[in-house]
Amino acid sequence: MASIPLAHGLFLAGVLFALGLLGVLVRRNIIFLLFSIEIMLNAAGLAFVVAGSRWQQPDGQVMFFFMLTLAAAEVSVGLALVLRLYHQFKTLDVDAPAR
């Protein structure tokens, strides 16, 4: 089985993390902020899996499993908060003034 080089996997994880960070810094919509945080979590998970594959240890995959459960919890709580905020303020713009 051929594996990807460590540098390529970490480079991809870095690019994904940078795109997620850019989304957090640039976007003002709460849903896009949640998507950007998910991309950053997946980038960190990819780095764990690539590093674990490099040293042939299952630790990276175990950490990624825990990160997936964290992401699922974050999505459920985040979407519940988004629905509540939209119901209260009628907007999802972070910069919108509160009424």
Side-chain angles (χ1 to χ4, degrees):
M1 173 190 277
S3 65
I4 60 172
L6 178 69
H8 292 192
L10 291 180
F11 178 74
L12 179 61
V15 168
L16 283 175
F17 192 86
L19 286 174
L21 184 62
L22 183 68
V24 167
L25 295 176
V26 172
R27 292 298 204 150
R28 295 293 87 185
N29 189 320
I30 294 175
I31 293 177
F32 283 111
L33 290 175
L34 289 174
F35 284 154
S36 298
I37 291 171
E38 288 294 324
I39 291 173
M40 292 168 61
L41 277 171
N42 284 330
L46 177 64
F48 276 122
V49 170
V50 167
S53 173
R54 165 68 172 88
W55 289 292
Q56 296 166 355
Q57 297 291 324
D59 299 344
Q61 293 175 1
V62 170
M63 285 300 297
F64 188 67
F65 177 73
F66 287 128
M67 290 176 72
L68 283 178
T69 57
L70 174 73
E74 183 249 337
V75 165
S76 63
V77 170
L79 286 179
L81 287 172
V82 165
L83 288 173
R84 181 67 185 145
L85 288 172
Y86 182 74
H87 179 70
Q88 185 173 357
F89 297 116
K90 303 293 188 239
T91 184
L92 294 178
D93 189 11
V94 177
D95 292 332
R99 293 179 214 168

